[in-house]
Amino acid sequence: VDTTNVVAGSPAISQQPSYKRLDGVKRQCVKAIRGHKGEHKLKLNYNLGDIIVVHEKFPTGWWKGELNNVIAYFQEKNTQAIDSPAISQSNVVEEPEVVVEPFPILNTPIQNTPVQSTVTKTPISIEKVSTPPIRAQPAKPTPQPPSKPARKQAVALYPYSKNNNTELDIYEGEVVEVIKDMGSWTYVKGNSGKGYVPTSYIQMQ
């Protein structure tokens, strides 16, 4: 893959991972069903049975996770979801317990005084209202179905080779149809089918 023009957040072409932590926030955890060891600084090293805290998910199958205070990318297919989410306790502040005092009890008994209400009946006069004759309404024109808006097109600035089945191969100068813009990734339709490509690799027309 050509890394001259990189996309931030892409596990396939990013040059450095993010090490920012969000403390006190519940996150999904996954369990490694197979281990992975490597020297690539963007890929997370983990053993069978390790619990990984998920930080971000990508449609390419690569997720960003945290293990042993290291945040990097791992493949979803090597993990299995678990029920209990993890909470980082390094920045959780406990709120003090609030004690609510009961209301004082009054020794004076409360006297129930009956309330008398006076209702005055007012006669209602009904006037007859003449109904105007009903006139035939003109026939309404048949509405035409709205025309589908034309989708945007973009031209590939650089060639891109897909890393999995969700991405799409494009060549430099290829005109693609933009289906959905998702920020760093764009879902397009090209000569070889449909899939995701880095947004920085194309230019909208």
Side-chain angles (χ1 to χ4, degrees), residues 121-182:
K121 297 182 179 180
T122 303
I124 301 175
S125 60
I126 302 176
E127 298 180 357
K128 294 183 179 181
V129 180
S130 59
T131 304
I134 300 176
R135 298 180 180 179
Q137 298 293 333
K140 296 182 180 180
T142 303
Q144 299 295 329
S147 58
K148 294 183 179 180
R151 288 180 175 173
K152 297 181 180 179
Q153 289 186 337
V155 60
L157 300 177
Y158 317 98
Y160 180 76
S161 299
K162 65 180 181 180
N163 297 303
N164 51 55
N165 294 333
T166 64
E167 299 179 1
L168 182 68
D169 291 330
I170 58 174
Y171 57 86
E172 183 177 356
E174 179 181 355
V175 177
V176 297
E177 181 180 347
V178 177
I179 299 176
K180 187 174 183 181
D181 187 357
M182 302 181 64

Side-chain angles (χ1 to χ4, degrees), residues 9-64:
S10 169
I13 55 181
S14 292
Q15 294 185 345
Q16 59 182 356
S18 171
Y19 292 91
K20 181 179 180 182
R21 298 187 58 178
L22 295 177
D23 297 324
V25 178
K26 291 185 178 180
R27 293 189 176 277
Q28 179 186 358
C29 294
V30 294
K31 182 177 181 181
I33 58 177
R34 61 177 62 90
H36 172 76
K37 296 291 183 181
E39 298 180 356
H40 200 295
K41 64 181 181 179
L42 294 179
K43 296 181 179 180
L44 191 66
N45 292 327
Y46 48 89
N47 298 317
L48 175 65
D50 284 347
I51 304 300
I52 303 173
V53 180
V54 180
H55 279 231
E56 193 171 358
K57 299 179 181 180
F58 296 92
T60 58
W62 285 88
W63 290 5
K64 183 189 291 184

Side-chain angles (χ1 to χ4, degrees), residues 90-126:
S90 61
N91 197 26
V92 176
V93 179
E94 296 183 356
E95 296 183 356
E97 182 180 359
V98 179
V99 179
V100 180
E101 296 292 340
F103 290 102
I105 301 176
L106 299 178
N107 295 325
T108 305
I110 300 176
Q111 298 179 355
N112 296 326
T113 303
V115 178
Q116 297 180 355
S117 60
T118 304
V119 178
T120 303
K121 297 182 179 180
T122 303
I124 301 175
S125 60
I126 302 176

